[in-house]
Amino acid sequence: MIYNNERPAILMFQDGTYFEGIGIGATAKITGEITFSTIPGSGYIEALTDSTFKDQIILFTYPSIGNYGVPDKIRDEYGILRQFESETIKVKGIILNEYCEKPSHYESIRTLEDWLIEENIPGIQWIDTRIITQKFVKEGSKLGLLQVYNAGEKPNLEELKKAVQTIETPSNKNIAANVSVKKLKKYIKPDSKGSVVIYDLGAKNNIIRTLLSKNLEVVLVPYLYDYDMIMKLNPNGVILSNGPGNPTILKQSIRLARKLIENNVPTMGIGLGHNIIGLAAGAFCYKMTAEHRGGRTTVENDTDHCYITFQNHGYCLKDINKNGFAELFHDKDDNTNEGLIHESKPIFSVAFNPEASPGALDMKEPIFEKFIKYMEVD
């Protein structure tokens, strides 16, 4: 590739496949698991700050990203950041077909690249994202590296080929514990009709906001909290949140879910929390080849009703009909499980993100209202 004043950048996979592009964001070298997101031109701010993507390198399939810039960090009436799903960018790096250098939006105060540089996140553009996405769909997410060089610097491909072979799989790391809050945090709602504990594995801001908007007090607790510690808070219900990483290694979380099930505590799982409830119930959890990473994915329930959902998960459950649990939703395209429900206890879970930030609103009200009904606080 011929560079003028641009910064060279290389994306390389462990199998030796590499792509040359132009660097954006920070001048840096990163390694990790590379996956994708099919969100449209809007939603990249929420995706980049979604803790479910913690430590991953994200390829955006939409052809142009950055078109509306980045807004100021303004907090809502609850003290929660608007448009950002956490306080900082959670991805390690980004892969784009094309970066929009001149955004246009009345709320924009800086470009996407300015934000990436501020948080030391590298990116690469002018990449054929279609061919890489096809590779992911057929073979699954990949380990690899991304390096952005200074202008005029020549990439050393042989050095990168050696470095890419030393990358360790993240599947044995407890990434969720790293993004969980370090101490209890309360969102007090005057005259609330009930209290919800969110067991924080990387909870998105819009989950908290949605509960507060329904006149519920929210208590965010760290990963290290166990059943007894949570019950001392006297909640009306518990949510096991979304989050990153491999659910099967979160033994403490699975023990917590098992106790919640045994004691009939109104409980809802989202994303990673869904898989943890499934594991606690005896289901089998596996890493998907064709991961669900997008804003327009259709799920279906047993009444043949279809709903458009936002999804961001790379693990899935099977053998779910155990210990009183049954399927609540399945994916319309590949028939994989997207939800569980207990036949007699107030416990259910969904693999998708019902809070819809970004994404479709089809399931926002039905899912949260179902949880509120289980808590019997109306």
Side-chain angles (χ1 to χ4, degrees), residues 298-312:
T298 306
V299 300
E300 184 178 38
N301 61 16
D302 59 3
T303 62
D304 294 330
H305 282 75
C306 291
Y307 306 90
I308 305 300
T309 63
F310 171 74
Q311 298 190 18
N312 187 12

Side-chain angles (χ1 to χ4, degrees), residues 35-295:
T35 188
F36 66 96
S37 175
T38 65
I39 62 166
S42 61
Y44 57 83
I45 295 169
E46 293 90 339
L48 292 176
T49 54
D50 183 350
S51 293
T52 305
F53 278 135
K54 174 65 175 174
D55 288 348
Q56 291 182 310
I57 303 168
I58 304 305
L59 177 147
F60 287 98
T61 61
Y62 195 78
S64 181
I65 296 292
N67 52 304
Y68 57 92
V70 179
D72 199 1
K73 288 189 173 181
I74 299 172
R75 297 183 185 273
D76 61 19
E77 65 268 34
Y78 309 119
I80 302 171
L81 285 174
R82 295 174 51 238
Q83 301 182 47
F84 299 82
E85 289 304 319
S86 65
E87 296 291 327
T88 60
I89 295 176
K90 291 299 186 290
V91 307
K92 270 191 168 182
I94 64 172
I95 304 163
L96 309 178
N97 176 257
E98 181 181 7
Y99 163 64
C100 178
E101 295 181 352
K102 297 181 179 180
S104 177
H105 195 280
Y106 73 98
E107 287 189 323
S108 177
I109 64 165
R110 54 187 165 171
T111 66
L112 173 59
E113 182 166 36
D114 289 338
W115 187 30
L116 294 173
I117 291 172
E118 180 183 312
E119 300 210 18
N120 198 34
I121 306 296
I124 185 172
Q125 67 164 328
W126 296 116
I127 296 296
D128 187 346
T129 52
R130 296 168 300 176
I131 194 169
I132 300 175
T133 304
Q134 290 171 358
K135 186 180 182 74
F136 288 154
V137 171
K138 293 177 182 177
E139 303 173 13
S141 60
K142 300 291 182 181
L143 297 180
L145 62 78
L146 166 61
Q147 181 158 2
V148 176
Y149 296 83
N150 291 308
E153 191 176 358
K154 186 177 180 180
N156 186 329
L157 293 178
E158 292 306 314
E159 185 179 276
L160 294 180
K161 287 177 181 178
K162 292 178 182 177
V164 78
Q165 297 305 318
T166 65
I167 302 172
E168 296 181 1
T169 176
S171 61
N172 297 323
K173 297 179 181 178
N174 187 341
I175 307 172
N178 294 332
V179 295
S180 177
V181 291
K182 304 309 176 189
K183 59 182 180 180
L184 180 147
K185 185 174 184 179
K186 276 191 177 183
Y187 293 85
I188 297 173
K189 184 81 173 175
D191 303 319
S192 67
K193 60 185 179 183
S195 172
V196 178
V197 163
I198 297 180
Y199 179 66
D200 183 26
L201 298 166
K204 295 174 68 176
N205 280 341
N206 211 39
I207 295 175
I208 303 168
R209 182 184 293 110
T210 300
L211 293 167
L212 290 168
S213 71
K214 295 185 177 298
N215 202 26
L216 292 164
E217 182 175 284
V218 176
V219 183
L220 207 61
V221 302
Y223 166 81
L224 292 175
Y225 265 53
D226 61 19
Y227 175 81
D228 292 333
M229 296 169 76
I230 289 175
M231 287 301 103
K232 285 180 181 178
L233 299 171
N234 196 31
N236 297 98
V238 176
I239 290 179
L240 307 184
S241 84
N242 65 288
N246 179 1
T248 64
I249 68 169
L250 302 181
K251 304 303 182 185
Q252 178 166 325
S253 304
I254 296 168
R255 285 195 296 270
L256 167 62
R258 194 171 290 126
K259 292 282 285 185
L260 293 169
I261 295 168
E262 289 172 356
N263 290 281
N264 300 341
V265 178
T267 303
M268 177 169 75
I270 298 174
L272 179 60
H274 159 73
N275 287 324
I276 287 170
I277 288 176
L279 286 163
F284 179 78
C285 185
Y286 64 96
K287 185 145 176 61
M288 306 172 75
T289 300
E291 298 179 347
H292 292 182
R293 308 279 188 186

